[in-house]
Each structure stands twice: as structure tokens, then as C-alpha cells.
Amino acid sequence: MNNAKIWLSSPHMGGTEQKYVQEAFETNWIAPLGPNVNGFEKDLENYLQEEVQIGALSSGTAAIHLGLILLGVKAGDEVICQSMTFSASANPIMYLGAIPVFVDSEADTWNLCPKALENAIIDRISKGKKPKVIIAVHLYGMPYKVQEINAIAVKYDIPVLEDSAEALGSHYKNQKCGTFGEIGVLSFNGNKIITTSGGGAIVTKNKETKDKAVFLSTQARDDAPHYQHSEVGYNYRMSNICAGIGRGQMEILDLHVELRREMHNFYTSYFEDIDGIAILTEPNQDYYSNHWLSAITIDPAKTNGKTTEGLRLAFEKANIESRPLWKPMHLQPIFSKYPYYGENIAEKLFENGLCLPSGSNLTDGERERIKLVVYDFFNKR
Ligand SMILES: *Cc1c(COP(=O)(O)O)cnc(C)c1O
């Protein structure tokens, strides 16, 4: 039996990517500008449908960094951040010398808890420091409670930086993720729903903000024949080669979302009759997840002591990658000294949660191997 490694999420090419890259070579646009960059930005703007302006960048992390700068975050400012996330959501706060304030998740979407968020804002304000920005994340492609979070953001007049790195193709009440924040962030890293080998984008509400992001991402050159600078600049623009891959990937984005959602259905059908397993699923019809990663929690009290770590090791033995959920930032050594608001929802999710292989390119044979491990582990055969 074929025992090749099954990855959590691996790049999945559609076929036309090389055509765009080839064009870049033929026209010698091997630079962080060119027709593919403009074309990729247009493709993304059309896909997101809302009135947005996109700047293609070298990574999602770069987009978060520039987003915080554009929202006025300076050294010493406080920035609220969903605790359960990838560290790339929080690291740019540190780049700026600002202070992260972490907030718990809720159990429905595993994202920012509106109640804990409001408590955090009220308490920080009472301490004389109103948070500058709220970083909210659509974890594993599942939209956060957009309506509740936005209502709080409006009530306290604090802009939302929407980390949609994992949620391209998801939507909430028929509006695409990436378009809800004052600034939105996308990622095209190798493991994401589409990839440019490495890359990201900033989603802005108007051309001035987009132009400012592009200006900062290309070393902040003033308009002069010589090199003239009045601001600190960055080298964060996407290259025309990477953008070519992105244009090809945009052609199969919807298909990849379909395939990821199929993987989620595959797991749902196999876990349905196993007690003590819960799979991350949309709370109601308002939510539509790209199911970038299918993720479960196991309640060992209901599974005769079988744990997520046990399942992870069983997968590993079969050469199948699975991974614990994101370890909350307030539990990370680098961030543990910063304020945290909430209870232990994120912590419990981390203790009992596991991400399963979810790639859009998994074969029937690979699904069969995954299924056998699950069934063996839970003595289902
Ligand atoms: C991947 C990811 C990022 C960072 O994107 P890069 O393109 O890898 O820099 C940020 N936030 C979240 C939640 C992510 O999953």
C-alpha cells in the first residue's frame, strides 16, 4: 500500500500558473511590479465584490504590519488581538513597539469572544488607555461573529484589522471575508487556500489607503528624480513572478473551496457516529467557511480516555500529518506577560483540538488511509 506522506495542507496548482510566469519571463517583468501584480490585484478585487482596493504584498504578515501603521499604531499604543491565532497576527504589534492585549475565543466559531472583547475595552479605557486597533481573525476559514464584533468596534470607535489570512473564499451573510475590517489581510503562503509560493495582500476601502500601502511597501520613495525619503519605508511589495502564480490560482479558487468543504463533509460523515468528537462547523446559515482546515475537538470523558494527542500519534504512525490547534498567544512564552481578558475557552480548545489533513488535492486512496486510522483508533471496525 502506498504510504506517501499525507500533509495537512499542501500547494495545489491549477495548471495555468506557468503561463503567467512564462509571460513575465518573456516580457522581462522580473520585478516587484508589472502586469501580473496589477492583474492579480484586479482579480482579487473582482472576487471580493465589495468596493475594495487591494495591494499585493510579500506576505500576510507584511500586510498586518502595514495595516497597523496605516491605522496609526505607534510605540506604546495598545492593540487588542484574538489570543487563539497564529503568531503572525500578533508579531507586527511587537515590530511597532506597541503592546498586545489578548482576548479569549467563544465556543461557536473559536474566534474573538464579543463579551470578553467588550470587557477588555472597558477595562483598558478605565486604566486610561483606549486600544488603538482590534485584530480579529477568521480561524481555519470560519468567519468570526462579524455583526457582534463590528457593533462593539463602532460603539467604542476602534477600527478592526481583519486577519483573513485563512479565510479567502469564506463569507458571512453573503459578504466575503476580507472586506469587513477597516483594513483586511490575505495570505498566499504555501499552505493557504491558494498560494503564490509566498505572498499576501492588504485590502483597503479606498485608493488613497491602497496607494499609501504600496508607497510604504516600496521603500517610501518621494516623488523626485533622486532617492528622496521623508518616511520609513519597507520592502514588502509582491513580485511579478509570484503574482503570476496568483493569477493562475485565482482561476481555481472556487473549486479549491468546494474541495476543502468536501473534506469537511467527509470528516463530518465519519465522525457523526463517534461520541465525544465535535467538528468545527458553521453555527448557522449566515456563516460560510472555506474550511481551509478541518478541525475537531475530542472530549476524553466521552471517548473512554482517547485523546487528541493519541489520535495525532496514530496518524503520525501512518505517515499522516495532523496538528494541535493554534496555541493561544497569552500562553506563549514571548507574550505571557501581556494583559489577557476572558476565561479558558481558547485554552480548552488548544488542549482538546486537532487539525486534520484538509488539502484540496487529497485522493480517494489518501482519504481511505485517513479513514482507516480514525476507525482503528476509535475501534469502529
Ligand atoms: C498565515 C497567517 C498569517 C501570515 O501570513 P503569511 O503570508 O504567512 O505571512 C497571519 N495570520 C494568520 C491567522 C495566518 O494563518
Side-chain angles (χ1 to χ4, degrees), residues 59-61 64 85-86 88-89 137 163 165-166 187-189 192 199 326:
S59 72
T61 311
I64 296 172
T85 184
F86 181 42
S89 305
V137 190
D163 183 346
E166 302 179 0
S187 167
F188 316 110
N189 197 7
K192 298 286 158 64
W326 300 122

Side-chain angles (χ1 to χ4, degrees), residues 4-311:
K5 176 101 177 183
I6 299 177
W7 300 96
L8 206 58
S9 175
S10 64
H12 185 186
M13 293 298 114
T16 59
E17 293 84 359
Q18 280 178 316
K19 179 190 81 182
Y20 293 106
V21 173
Q22 187 66 30
E23 273 171 23
F25 273 79
E26 279 161 6
T27 53
N28 207 28
W29 281 105
I30 318 288
L33 77 169
N36 280 338
V37 175
N38 301 330
F40 185 40
E41 287 173 346
K42 275 280 157 297
D43 290 347
L44 286 164
E45 284 165 6
N46 291 337
Y47 186 80
L48 292 180
Q49 286 166 351
E50 305 300 310
E51 288 287 312
V52 291
Q53 297 268 329
I54 303 258
L57 302 174
S58 55
S59 72
T61 311
I64 296 172
H65 190 185
L66 294 186
L68 291 175
I69 293 171
L70 291 168
L71 293 173
V73 173
K74 302 246 165 24
D77 285 341
E78 293 193 352
V79 175
I80 289 185
C81 184
Q82 181 168 323
S83 183
M84 194 163 129
T85 184
F86 181 42
S87 65
S89 305
N91 279 332
I93 303 170
M94 309 300 281
Y95 302 167
L96 291 166
I99 298 158
V101 173
F102 294 109
V103 170
D104 203 358
S105 292
E106 36 78 11
D108 297 334
T109 73
W110 300 3
N111 294 313
L112 204 53
C113 170
K115 233 177 96 207
L117 172 65
E118 185 158 24
N119 287 342
I121 293 171
I122 291 169
D123 191 59
R124 298 324 289 177
I125 290 175
S126 80
K127 290 185 161 64
K129 228 162 181 197
K130 182 173 160 184
K132 260 288 179 45
V133 173
I134 299 164
I135 301 178
V137 190
H138 307 293
L139 225 49
Y140 307 120
M142 182 62 68
Y144 57 76
K145 295 193 167 173
V146 173
Q147 198 170 313
E148 287 93 327
I149 300 298
N150 276 359
I152 293 169
V154 167
K155 180 173 172 187
Y156 294 94
D157 193 23
I158 304 172
V160 172
L161 190 153
E162 178 192 6
D163 183 346
S164 194
E166 302 179 0
L168 181 60
S170 301
H171 47 85
Y172 175 84
K173 292 191 174 174
N174 283 321
Q175 185 178 335
K176 291 263 175 23
C177 288
T179 65
F180 292 109
E182 187 60 37
I183 298 267
V185 168
L186 303 172
S187 167
F188 316 110
N189 197 7
N191 58 351
K192 298 286 158 64
I193 191 121
I194 62 165
T195 184
T196 58
S197 75
I202 189 163
V203 186
T204 67
K205 298 252 182 264
N206 53 57
K207 190 160 183 315
E208 296 89 273
T209 315
K210 180 227 164 129
D211 288 347
K212 184 74 200 263
V214 170
F215 167 79
L216 291 173
S217 77
T218 48
Q219 308 288 17
R221 281 183 66 184
D222 293 341
D223 196 10
H226 56 278
Y227 282 90
Q228 171 93 8
H229 306 275
S230 341
E231 278 183 72
V232 174
Y234 303 84
N235 184 5
Y236 278 173
R237 191 72 162 133
M238 179 177 280
S239 87
N240 198 50
I241 298 289
C242 293
I245 303 174
R247 289 180 84 179
Q249 289 268 284
M250 284 307 287
E251 295 177 10
I252 39 80
L253 170 56
D254 278 334
L255 173 66
H256 283 199
V257 171
E258 276 312 306
L259 293 168
R260 299 253 175 182
R261 287 177 57 83
E262 228 173 74
M263 277 310 290
H264 175 264
N265 291 340
F266 162 82
Y267 286 117
T268 305
S269 67
Y270 286 112
F271 288 140
E272 222 157 34
D273 54 349
I274 302 177
D275 266 353
I277 298 196
I279 184 157
L280 176 61
T281 300
E282 289 95 339
N284 61 50
Q285 299 278 316
D286 291 343
Y287 296 78
Y288 182 95
S289 171
N290 66 13
H291 288 298
W292 171 58
L293 293 186
S294 290
I296 56 166
T297 54
I298 298 182
D299 179 355
K302 292 185 187 156
T303 55
N304 275 325
K306 290 186 191 300
T307 62
T308 46
E309 182 56 10
L311 180 57

